[in-house]
Amino acid sequence: MTAPKGWAAPGHADRYRRRVLAERDRLTEALADLRGQQQRVLADLLGFNADTEFGRRHGFDRLRDIDDFRKAVPVQDYAAHAPLIERMAAGEPNLLSADQPIVYFTSSGSTGAHKKIPVTPRFMRTTFFPFYYAAWAPLIENFPEVTHRPDAVLNLKHDPLAAPPTTADGRPHVGASQVDFGEKFGEPLSAELGTAAPWATLPVDVAPDDHLEKMYLRLRVAVQSDVRCLIGINPAMIAAVPYQLTLWWERIVREVRDGTLGGAPYGSPDPARAAELQRLADYFGTVSPAHVWPRIRALFGWTTGVASLYLPTLREHFGSGVTALPAPVAASEGPVGVPLDRHGTAGSLVPTASVYEFADADADLAPDTPTLQPHELEAGREYHVIFSHVGGLYRYAVGDVVRVADLPGGVPRVEYAGRANRSDAAGERLRESQVVRALRSALTATGLGLVNLACRVEHTSDAQAPRYVFAIAPSTPWKEAEATRFTVLLDNALQDESADYRRTRAEHRLSGPALRLLDPEAFHRDWHTAVGSGIRPTQVKDRLFRQDDALWQRLTGPATP
């Protein structure tokens, strides 16, 4: 008889909790010596990778400190790393890292193409696992019941593949949530919360890219469990759940009653639970996660950016008192910040993971852009993120902007502020974070709420200057006077946020913004359409700027004259 493994093994939850809290404590201690830790990380990556092609090309063996490193290596993005990464993926060793990649994480670039992020054992041990474990500390420390049962957590991002796609040299090329870290990297405690739930590995056949059906099947099983927490990371996945319950409700109740899953026999018929679920829908007139799982206590995902505008409304669907805990500020390429307490948006830098550099968010990044070290950052300012780590990414501009929330003990605590790309039709150079803050200001002043939103620049057919059009799905109907006042306040707030926007408006190169109110389910339908096309749900994220005509019309419907 095979001994139980993972979350099914006796004592696993206690061992997991000890590991998570120990990694959190180690990172907390490391913050006390931020500069020393950064120098040690730099020395390690230079020494370990000195004899790689990249290391020899840039003289790693002669570099001693961050100033040497900045002079020798330019600021660069994925495209600059890509030639060596492609050669690595074809099996050529010793190019960016002295370690051979075990897997490649996938990540969507700005063009929609899938990046290949090399993942080496040394990277996982020194950069990834310490932050990865520590990230769960606020959740399990404050909501310990999430570890008590395998089905206490609905992990929406967990999506294992039996036959993952591979690179030319046969290495898996998958999302981080699709990797078994225990198998690949010898980390038996690394399986996330919720990955041993009954729905984690589906017992029925479903096509690997039929993501909507997989989401349905997992919800169908989960309605028979006492779920206490949802993990989404990408908040759009959490936001989709109330819509999905309503969309699939009749099918869910029927299958619970009949004891089927996707039409196949599953467990025992449960007419009592089916009747209870139906009574809830009949009584409330609609169905909500709070009705299905009345003891949900926490949501775990990104809480900033566009999500910060709809989270207040979204939380109501999950019940009063539900806490939204922020996921780490991180990308497939590496971590930036990890929340070590219950701060609602920000996390401390991970000083043992990478060498961090920052550049003012208003600057256009170039190979020779001047950068700041962590101890030089200022609270309230926004910065491009640039990091280097032993896994083989050097002075890598990840394409994200962070805001320094505060500086406890002199150490920056950062929150995700948006992608680095700008919207710039007439010289306004608007960043995502500026638009989000302006929207929040207008929403607060009017008391209005929304389900989601997006915007784009439109050129009118007459001689008027272009204007920003905001597509908004209100959470409750907006009266005409409210919408008019909101639009005026939004224009004023944008001018307060951005001197460039203010100038273009004063010079009549931009007209005032316009509003396009959509029905409350418009963004959910659009998200489902994207996922239904075969894109993994983790990759279908909130997008504020949507300039593509076809995608805009898919969201908003045919253009109005």
Side-chain angles (χ1 to χ4, degrees), residues 105-106 114 132 153-165 172-181 190-197 199-219 231-233 237 527 531 534-540:
F105 287 163
T106 185
H114 287 289
Y132 172 75
V153 174
L154 177 54
N155 191 322
L156 300 171
K157 72 185 186 69
H158 179 62
D159 185 29
L161 290 177
H173 181 208
V174 291
S177 59
Q178 297 177 304
V179 177
D180 184 336
F181 295 135
S190 61
E192 288 182 9
L193 294 161
T195 57
W199 53 82
T201 302
L202 293 169
V204 297
D205 290 332
V206 58
D209 62 349
D210 193 351
H211 302 296
L212 289 179
E213 181 65 6
K214 287 192 284 188
M215 296 177 88
Y216 162 77
L217 294 171
R218 288 175 177 134
L219 274 184
I231 295 173
I233 307 298
M237 299 179 72
W527 192 85
V531 172
I535 304 173
R536 288 180 60 231
T538 55
Q539 297 294 328
V540 185

Side-chain angles (χ1 to χ4, degrees), residues 361-434:
D362 286 327
D364 292 320
L365 288 182
D368 60 349
T369 295
T371 61
L372 300 169
Q373 294 177 255
H375 65 272
E376 298 175 300
L377 304 186
E378 299 177 31
R381 297 283 301 277
E382 293 184 351
Y383 302 93
H384 295 283
V385 179
I386 299 159
F387 57 65
S388 307
H389 59 62
V390 74
L393 297 182
Y394 305 107
R395 305 203 73 204
Y396 183 85
V398 71
D400 289 337
V401 169
V402 297
R403 177 181 177 273
V404 179
D406 53 16
L407 297 162
V411 178
R413 190 154 54 170
V414 299
E415 61 188 26
Y416 175 73
R419 293 293 292 165
N421 58 304
R422 297 185 182 91
S423 181
D424 190 13
E428 71 276 17
R429 292 168 53 86
L430 281 174
R431 298 197 311 274
E432 283 187 22
S433 59
Q434 294 171 319

Side-chain angles (χ1 to χ4, degrees), residues 98 289 298-299 324 364 366 521:
L299 308 174
D364 292 320
E521 296 182 345

Side-chain angles (χ1 to χ4, degrees), residues 56-75:
R56 293 191 301 271
R57 185 188 304 168
H58 294 88
F60 275 13
D61 60 339
R62 301 188 302 273
L63 308 182
R64 296 292 176 264
D65 56 28
I66 186 65
D67 290 330
D68 292 343
F69 188 57
R70 287 191 283 206
K71 291 173 185 174
V73 180
V75 174

